Amino acid sequence: MTTKMFASDNNSGIHPAIMEAIARANDGHVPAYGSDQYTAAAIKKFKGHFGKESKVELVFNGTGANVTGLKAMVRSHQAIICTNGAHINSDEGGAAEGFIGGKLLTVPSADGKLTVEGIERHLHNIGNQQRSQPKAVSISQCTEYGTVYTIEEIKEITRFAHANGLYVHMDGARLSNAAAHLGCSLAEMTVDAGIGMLAFGGTKNGLMMGEAVVCFNKELSSELKYIRKQGMQLGSKMRFIAAQFERLLTDDLWLDNARHANKMAGLLAEGLTEFPEISLTQPVESNAVFVSLPKAQIERLQEKHSFAVWNEGKNEIRLVCSFDTSKEDVENFLADVRKSFS
């Protein structure tokens, strides 16, 4: 198995600058549970990107970020509309439904994107006490298929949702990659576009661990800290999560990491499409490449490389690049693809 993996950006290490930030924070004693200067500095950075009115709660992981934010939006008799491939539906072990007690109403999506039409199909039986009542919409940016909503697509969803009394949540595990693709700020895709609650990702973009719940809706923000604690996402040594985010959000490190990962994915896709037997199944708009190729080649490549078989029926695989993926890593993989056909 090769040292670098294309299975997930979760498999990457820690960015050296983040490691240095952790080491600097490991100096002496400071107040616990976020009452420290490192957390204050990190929150100041978040407000610089998302606005002074944003409320930030740091958590351990993406599932924790999603369910903490969603629980502030939805009561147990209510429902969240999302795509069938949404991470909260397919990859979080039922955490959203288990922790919130509400229901997920899913919409099929070939490219991972939710549409107004998809939301609308669940807006029936409103007021019927025997049906879970839709209260929130959740979208992923980037989507689980590596695709990216345009800012106008997000605004279209938020306008429709708000007009129908729905909150809008964004799973932003790879939000930095989306910003790198669109060439926009973090705020333009979120608070400026009408998003009410954001799960902002750090782990996939160079952190050791750590995600953030960023709330843009004042009526929802007051309960977040209690939900975080009850959800076992309050870190006593918060400074070590905070120090990472403070560094990530300084000098565009978040953007540099994402741009690099996206660029490597582009190089990988370009190289793969030179083989007539391989075809892209999704546009490459972030750090993920989805392709279909013959089963025999998949099996040969798996002898040396780690990647996800996304859809066995379609012989579709997912290849994910990270902040530390090098051009040499891409070239080595492509060389092995070439060998698999010889």
Side-chain angles (χ1 to χ4, degrees):
M1 191 69 67
T2 54
T3 302
K4 296 287 182 66
M5 299 181 183
F6 291 97
S8 173
D9 35 16
N10 287 321
N11 292 12
S12 63
I14 307 169
H15 191 282
I18 300 298
M19 188 70 84
E20 291 173 6
I22 295 171
R24 286 195 298 271
N26 191 35
D27 181 22
H29 286 209
V30 301
Y33 299 108
S35 300
D36 60 272
Q37 65 268 32
Y38 299 98
T39 302
I43 290 175
K44 184 177 180 180
K45 291 288 184 181
F46 272 103
K47 290 179 179 292
H49 284 281
F50 293 105
K52 294 180 179 180
E53 299 303 313
S54 57
K55 174 70 173 177
V56 183
E57 303 290 357
L58 304 181
V59 297
F60 292 113
N61 54 52
T63 299
N66 280 331
V67 299
T68 297
L70 286 167
K71 189 172 176 66
M73 304 174 105
V74 177
R75 296 173 68 182
S76 61
H77 64 276
Q78 296 172 330
I80 303 156
I81 301 171
C82 62
T83 67
N84 57 346
H87 204 269
I88 59 172
N89 181 58
S90 60
D91 288 284
E92 295 187 353
E97 291 171 314
F99 186 67
I100 298 166
K103 185 175 180 60
L104 298 181
L105 300 174
T106 63
V107 179
S109 175
D111 62 359
K113 291 185 179 182
L114 190 63
T115 63
V116 165
E117 292 73 23
I119 298 168
E120 194 169 24
R121 72 174 62 179
H122 285 298
L123 299 184
H124 55 81
N125 288 309
I126 303 301
N128 183 343
Q129 63 185 337
Q130 301 195 62
R131 301 294 176 91
S132 296
Q133 298 295 292
K135 189 59 181 176
V137 169
S138 180
I139 62 175
S140 300
Q141 178 77 322
C142 308
T143 76
E144 290 73 14
Y145 290 91
T147 53
V148 174
Y149 289 91
T150 66
I151 293 174
E152 186 51 44
E153 285 174 330
I154 297 171
K155 288 181 177 180
E156 183 181 9
I157 288 171
T158 58
R159 284 193 294 262
F160 180 80
H162 296 160
N164 286 277
L166 304 173
Y167 298 122
V168 184
H169 165 269
M170 178 180 281
D171 180 344
R174 296 184 176 94
L175 189 70
S176 299
N177 299 92
H181 173 72
L182 293 176
C184 68
S185 69
L186 295 171
E188 286 177 280
M189 289 183 294
T190 55
V191 58
D192 295 347
I195 298 297
M197 190 79 69
L198 168 70
F200 180 73
T203 309
K204 292 177 171 64
N205 200 27
L207 268 60
M208 179 175 72
M209 65 172 179
E211 313 287 304
V213 182
V214 188
C215 183
F216 309 115
N217 186 319
K218 286 185 178 180
E219 69 181 70
L220 300 175
S221 63
S222 62
E223 303 299 314
L224 278 175
K225 63 181 180 181
Y226 306 110
I227 296 169
R228 177 178 64 171
K229 176 62 178 180
Q230 189 180 65
M232 298 169 283
Q233 289 290 321
L234 174 63
S236 56
K237 296 186 178 181
M238 185 72 76
R239 59 171 150 164
F240 296 109
I241 296 177
Q244 295 177 79
F245 271 117
E246 195 279 332
R247 180 63 186 90
L248 184 71
L249 296 173
T250 299
D251 296 332
D252 286 341
L253 179 61
W254 64 275
L255 183 57
D256 292 341
N257 285 355
R259 280 175 174 165
H260 177 79
N262 288 7
K263 181 179 179 180
M264 291 301 102
L267 288 175
L268 182 58
E270 182 181 352
L272 288 170
T273 51
E274 292 179 6
F275 299 91
E277 301 89 346
I278 299 177
S279 60
L280 291 172
T281 59
Q282 298 289 343
V284 180
E285 298 176 343
S286 59
N287 63 324
V289 181
F290 288 78
V291 292
S292 64
L293 66 164
K295 185 177 181 180
Q297 273 60 49
I298 294 176
E299 292 174 350
R300 290 174 190 171
L301 287 168
Q302 285 179 317
E303 294 175 3
K304 291 185 65 177
H305 298 275
S306 175
F307 53 83
V309 178
W310 202 255
N311 187 322
E312 290 187 9
K314 296 181 179 179
N315 291 329
E316 182 184 41
I317 66 172
R318 184 190 73 168
L319 303 163
V320 184
C321 294
S322 306
F323 76 90
D324 60 351
T325 301
S326 68
K327 187 176 180 181
E328 183 181 8
D329 296 325
V330 171
E331 290 172 346
N332 287 341
F333 183 82
L334 292 174
D336 286 333
V337 172
R338 192 171 293 108
K339 290 177 185 177
S340 75
F341 284 106
S342 60

